[in-house]
Amino acid sequence: MSDHIPFDIQTEIIKKLDVKSLIRFRSVSKTWKSLINSPKFVASYGIDQIQMRHILVPYYKESTFMYTSFVDHDDDTFLFDQTNVHVLPREHNSYRCRILGSSHGLFGLVYDHTDLYDGVKKMYVIWNPSIRKSIGIDVPKPLRYSLDKVYFGVCPVTRDPKLVTITRNWIVQIYTLSSGKWRKISNKLPRGTIELHPDYVVTDRIMYWDATDSTKNGRFIVSFDLTSEEFALIDIPNYITNHKYKILKLRDTLVFLKYLKTTKVDCEVWMMINNGVSKTFKMLYNIMTLNPLPNRVKGFTNSGTPIIETGKDFAPDGLYVIEPNSERVTKIRFEEEGYGHYLCGLNVYTYHETILLFDR
């Protein structure tokens, strides 16, 4: 850009570039590289504009977890727009690796690996597939067995990645990437009789868990605000809890899959709407029964179309997109030859492009 253009104007122009262009622009000049790598620029990038969204599908191949992603267009043309397969760096990859979740374009992962002199070690990884960068977090030996259940999210205000661990007796610890330290919190924790179920969802700033209380009947939602670091309890209507259900994320909103298991309708999709303190629930649509094989809703496209896996857990038939209104069914095709031989319990994760971790 011309030296006659004020630098603050250049900065605003650069902010409108996509992630791939930013990576290239860092090599234009030392000034631009310093700007793009600065924590202030990284934290502010993408806040006021819509970033390209993707759907990530992990799979297993030759003792390594592989990842393929699709550009998630609003018209679901992602079916024909597969991007390159992403692989984590070798030091952050393992057959024992599993994804904790995705938040603000980053992924949290965990894996156990064996050290000849130190036994089984645990490492957490924060990964940005858009810039192909990951950061490993070794867990100190005294903490390895105290970190019971660990969850991942990013604070939308500070843009700081966080790991949240919760033990059965409600000892809560939080790790922030900026500090590089674990710390305990003890303010307004849920009562000790509350048990979190495996299902959890991370939206823009809130973590949600399906939960029960050993002293009471019924189920409810436990929420955790990644900004204020406060927990809250949310009641679920009986017309949902009277059925088998599952929680998922549609865009950045919590939804419930209410299973009916009729010959025509597999489940209903209910969205939770925040109205300040109160919450309301709205039924969006039905998901049809695809075939006699087990159907599992794995996620949603940005347009709200469900992505479904069919078949047995350890021998899935594949992933399908079902358009709720027309009931049109389309199988997701993968470019890599022989992909089907590596399928094992497919999962689907959505994320948008970001440059978080550029400055790390």
Side-chain angles (χ1 to χ4, degrees):
M1 285 184 199
S2 172
D3 291 336
H4 299 293
I5 301 177
F7 189 69
D8 57 339
I9 301 299
Q10 293 185 35
T11 301
E12 292 304 313
I13 294 173
I14 293 174
K15 281 184 180 180
K16 298 182 182 302
L17 297 174
D18 58 47
V19 171
K20 288 184 179 179
S21 297
L22 282 177
I23 294 173
R24 292 195 300 268
F25 268 53
R26 289 197 303 171
S27 61
V28 171
S29 69
K30 291 183 178 179
T31 302
W32 284 6
K33 182 177 181 179
S34 177
L35 168 68
I36 295 170
N37 286 355
S38 68
K40 183 178 180 181
F41 184 89
V42 170
S44 63
Y45 176 78
I47 292 178
D48 298 324
Q49 62 191 84
I50 299 174
Q51 296 301 316
M52 188 175 294
R53 301 185 66 88
H54 295 260
I55 291 173
L56 184 96
V57 181
Y59 62 99
Y60 184 65
K61 177 184 177 183
E62 298 176 357
S63 300
T64 302
F65 270 102
M66 307 288 286
Y67 304 86
T68 188
S69 64
F70 302 83
V71 178
D72 185 7
H73 302 291
D74 283 340
D75 58 359
D76 292 343
T77 54
F78 76 92
L79 292 169
F80 313 101
D81 198 359
Q82 182 176 355
T83 63
N84 292 331
V85 173
H86 302 298
V87 184
L88 278 164
R90 184 175 297 274
E91 65 271 20
H92 293 164
N93 206 350
S94 165
Y95 67 92
R96 294 177 176 175
C97 180
R98 66 182 175 88
I99 293 177
L100 297 172
S102 64
S103 177
H104 289 272
L106 300 183
F107 284 82
L109 304 96
V110 61
Y111 75 89
D112 299 323
H113 60 107
T114 303
D115 185 275
L116 182 62
Y117 302 102
D118 204 16
V120 176
K121 298 179 68 176
K122 186 183 292 289
M123 174 179 281
Y124 294 100
V125 177
I126 299 174
W127 176 42
N128 183 341
S130 300
I131 62 173
R132 303 196 176 190
K133 184 173 183 177
S134 60
I135 295 176
I137 303 164
D138 276 313
V139 179
K141 199 168 187 177
L143 286 176
R144 287 179 198 166
Y145 302 103
S146 64
L147 300 182
D148 189 3
K149 299 177 181 178
V150 182
Y151 311 93
F152 172 75
V154 176
C155 173
V157 176
T158 63
R159 314 285 274 182
D160 198 4
K162 295 184 178 183
L163 295 169
V164 180
T165 178
I166 304 171
T167 65
R168 288 183 177 273
N169 55 347
W170 280 95
I171 297 174
V172 180
Q173 298 185 76
I174 297 176
Y175 176 94
T176 54
L177 185 61
S178 61
S179 70
K181 297 178 181 179
W182 291 91
R183 56 183 170 84
K184 289 183 179 180
I185 64 170
S186 56
N187 185 38
K188 297 181 180 179
L189 297 179
R191 53 190 177 270
T193 54
I194 290 177
E195 181 179 356
L196 302 181
H197 291 211
D199 283 351
Y200 92 105
V201 166
V202 184
T203 60
D204 177 58
R205 64 179 288 167
I206 307 291
M207 289 181 173
Y208 297 102
W209 293 268
D210 185 26
T212 52
D213 190 326
S214 60
T215 63
K216 298 181 179 180
N217 293 326
R219 297 171 72 172
F220 49 90
I221 294 294
V222 173
S223 68
F224 177 73
D225 191 310
L226 286 160
T227 301
S228 66
E229 298 185 349
E230 295 178 341
F231 287 92
L233 305 183
I234 302 170
D235 291 326
I236 309 172
N238 290 336
Y239 52 78
I240 294 178
T241 58
N242 286 341
H243 295 257
K244 181 182 177 182
Y245 68 87
K246 180 180 180 179
I247 60 173
L248 283 176
K249 177 172 68 174
L250 196 167
R251 291 182 282 272
D252 262 325
T253 305
L254 178 69
V255 295
F256 295 78
L257 304 181
K258 173 182 168 182
Y259 288 97
L260 302 178
K261 294 297 182 182
T262 67
T263 55
K264 292 185 177 180
V265 178
D266 185 56
C267 63
E268 297 174 343
V269 180
W270 289 78
M271 175 182 288
M272 187 179 76
I273 301 172
N274 285 303
N275 299 309
V277 177
S278 65
K279 306 289 188 294
T280 57
F281 297 80
K282 178 182 178 182
M283 209 275 271
L284 300 181
Y285 52 76
N286 295 324
I287 297 178
M288 61 177 283
T289 300
L290 192 58
N291 58 41
L293 293 172
N295 300 329
R296 292 171 292 277
V297 180
K298 291 295 186 174
F300 299 88
T301 67
N302 194 46
S303 65
T305 306
I307 301 173
I308 294 177
E309 177 194 63
T310 66
K312 298 179 180 179
D313 284 333
F314 297 101
D317 175 55
L319 290 175
Y320 296 81
V321 172
I322 301 181
E323 212 291 316
N325 295 322
S326 67
E327 297 186 353
R328 179 171 58 93
V329 179
T330 307
K331 186 171 184 177
I332 298 178
R333 302 290 180 181
F334 297 87
E335 289 180 359
E336 185 170 347
E337 178 128 4
Y339 180 90
H341 296 294
Y342 315 125
L343 299 181
C344 184
L346 289 168
N347 284 304
V348 170
Y349 302 90
T350 59
Y351 70 99
H352 65 262
E353 292 187 358
T354 179
I355 59 171
L356 292 177
L357 303 188
F358 245 168
D359 54 334
R360 303 288 180 176

